[in-house]
Amino acid sequence: MKIPPPPGSRISVGTDDHGMPVILIPAAPRLSRFLLAIPFLVGLLFWCAGEILAAAMIFSGKVHGFRIVFLVIWLLLWTTGGIFGAVFAFWTLRRAQPQSLRLLGGAVEFDSGRRPPCLVPEELIWGGVPNYFPRRIRHSISLRQMQGLRLRQSDAGTRLIVEIDGEVIEIAKGASDVEREWLAQFVLAHYGLTRTP
């Protein structure tokens, strides 16, 4: 039985190349990633100016002795910092990839996708640094494990979780409470499963 997504939902249901159902859950759009990138982009302008100035002084031949040693060491450290800033700005601004659930015959393939950096205070408080730098998670969830799929109430709202080998995985993190409820019903109905307490 096909249950359509809730009205206004950004979740889409399609099929892969083998005809297996795939559910895509887009990451919630966040202006915070642009706010986070602005200081790094401005800093890169100053970094370029410092890089050019230091290199010009080194190659001008007018600086000698301890000063040139200091400038070379400073330039190496400055270059390292600039590369870090550029990589971080790119990582912050790159496009997010949606979460996906592939409903295979005997398992569900979960891919957490790529979420933008998090600046939401309540997520940082409860999740700490790992939530600030979200990592991509991929799991193959057995049908027995999917029976443990449940909605858990928290101060930040309802979380859709499943336990895999002692690790609690949150599914549809960027979705609304209504979308999470729909997703749980859809997946369990697809396999004819009932939730275990």
Side-chain angles (χ1 to χ4, degrees):
M1 179 178 89
K2 274 200 168 184
I3 310 169
S9 173
R10 295 178 301 113
I11 295 177
S12 61
V13 182
T15 55
D16 62 10
D17 297 336
H18 305 289
M20 294 295 185
V22 178
I23 303 168
L24 295 177
I25 308 142
R30 282 185 173 156
L31 181 64
S32 62
R33 67 191 183 113
F34 296 106
L35 297 176
L36 185 62
I38 287 171
F40 283 91
L41 295 174
V42 171
L44 284 174
L45 293 175
F46 289 102
W47 173 80
C48 287
E51 191 88 359
I52 292 167
L53 183 63
M57 289 175 70
I58 290 170
F59 293 110
S60 68
K62 296 177 182 177
V63 181
H64 303 285
F66 174 75
R67 290 181 178 177
I68 197 163
V69 173
F70 171 78
L71 277 174
V72 168
I73 293 171
W74 182 87
L75 187 61
L76 288 172
L77 295 173
W78 190 253
T79 301
T80 304
I83 290 170
F84 171 78
V87 168
F88 190 84
F90 168 76
W91 176 78
T92 304
L93 291 173
R94 69 180 176 170
R95 191 177 182 145
Q97 290 183 343
Q99 277 192 16
S100 66
L101 293 169
R102 289 182 68 230
L103 310 183
L104 306 178
V108 175
E109 283 189 359
F110 170 70
D111 182 349
S112 68
R114 189 173 60 226
R115 295 175 59 218
C118 171
L119 283 181
V120 180
E122 57 268 18
E123 289 191 25
L124 290 177
I125 290 167
W126 296 110
V129 174
N131 242 3
Y132 185 77
F133 300 100
R135 63 186 174 92
R136 193 166 194 169
I137 300 169
R138 291 184 176 98
H139 277 294
S140 181
I141 309 170
S142 69
L143 297 187
R144 182 184 59 78
Q145 290 167 330
M146 282 306 294
Q147 282 187 292
L149 185 69
R150 63 189 183 277
L151 293 159
R152 178 185 287 173
Q153 295 293 330
S154 69
D155 293 337
T158 305
R159 299 171 62 207
L160 181 60
I161 59 170
V162 64
E163 191 171 327
I164 305 169
D165 301 326
E167 182 183 1
V168 176
I169 303 297
E170 184 173 355
I171 299 173
K173 199 162 192 173
S176 67
D177 290 354
V178 175
E179 287 174 322
R180 291 187 190 106
E181 179 64 44
W182 169 83
L183 185 59
Q185 289 178 5
F186 184 92
V187 173
L188 294 174
H190 177 80
Y191 290 109
L193 300 173
T194 55
R195 291 184 206 172
T196 56

